[in-house]
Amino acid sequence: MIAIRIATLDDLPTIRSLAYTIWPVVYKDIISAAQIEYMLDKAYAVESLVEQVSKRNHRFILIEENGITLGFASFSEKSEEQKNIFRLHKLYLALNQHGKGLGKMLVEHTAAEAIAAGAEYLELNVNRNNPTVSFYRKLGFVIDKEINESIGNSFWVEDYIMILPLGK
């Protein structure tokens, strides 16, 4: 049976391990191996994950089947000033779990949490060359804008910011 649950600090090594397995495959044709390594080290070191939870109020959720973690997502309010917008920071599934509706379940769970908190929009960044742009469009996200942003070490993200209006 598929279940979604809130991740605890004890789950952060599992999240890290999944990311380190998924990213090199998913992003290999989108960004360089050096940028993949840089971004993984920056966002998925256990210390960084702890900071995301404890200082930035990111909520991680896991999707599991029979106690086996199949993927994860993280989200939060965009900011104190923009409580009407929730950010979907991360959404990743084990490579053998794509196309089973699990990503949609994670987005729907996140949207429900956002609506319960009074948000009007769910927002995310996605690389402009990432095939998941079409996945997000199917779920109702629209492209709000394009960004080119330096992330350090001479690397850039070339993303769409996509938004999903949350029906009231």
Side-chain angles (χ1 to χ4, degrees):
M1 181 173 152
I2 302 292
I4 295 176
R5 70 170 177 87
I6 297 169
T8 67
L9 292 177
D10 290 339
D11 294 312
L12 297 181
T14 299
I15 290 167
R16 180 183 189 281
S17 177
L18 271 171
Y20 273 80
T21 301
I22 295 166
W23 272 58
V25 176
V26 169
Y27 289 109
K28 69 179 171 41
D29 296 327
I30 299 172
I31 57 178
S32 70
Q35 185 168 344
I36 291 169
E37 183 178 340
Y38 175 79
M39 292 176 74
L40 279 170
D41 289 344
K42 189 172 179 175
Y44 289 98
V46 172
E47 300 80 22
S48 175
L49 291 169
V50 168
E51 178 189 330
Q52 290 167 50
V53 171
S54 61
K55 293 188 178 158
R56 293 195 244 159
N57 298 317
H58 292 199
R59 287 180 260 170
F60 281 83
I61 56 175
L62 303 178
I63 191 161
E64 299 176 327
E65 184 172 33
N66 301 321
I68 297 170
T69 303
L70 307 175
F72 65 92
S74 76
F75 57 93
S76 69
E77 290 178 343
K78 182 172 182 175
S79 68
E80 281 292 318
E81 298 77 32
Q82 293 179 298
K83 291 183 179 221
N84 68 321
I85 302 172
F86 261 51
R87 295 264 318 147
L88 178 60
H89 300 287
K90 300 171 178 27
L91 191 154
Y92 294 99
L93 293 169
L95 300 169
N96 63 348
Q97 299 301 316
H98 292 196
K100 296 181 178 182
L102 303 178
K104 180 179 179 183
M105 289 174 68
L106 287 169
V107 170
E108 288 173 346
H109 182 94
T110 301
E113 293 273 341
I115 290 167
E120 299 172 22
Y121 299 95
L122 184 59
E123 177 183 86
L124 59 84
N125 283 39
V126 60
N127 183 286
R128 292 194 299 260
N129 296 312
N130 191 325
T132 60
V133 169
S134 64
F135 163 76
Y136 290 119
R137 283 187 171 166
K138 286 179 191 171
L139 295 178
F141 283 85
V142 295
I143 295 170
D144 184 47
K145 59 183 135 185
E146 292 184 15
I147 62 165
N148 296 308
E149 194 172 282
S150 173
I151 58 168
N153 210 32
S154 300
F155 295 121
W156 289 77
V157 292
E158 298 169 332
D159 288 355
Y160 290 129
I161 295 179
M162 299 183 79
I163 58 170
L164 175 68
L166 301 172
K168 293 271 177 181

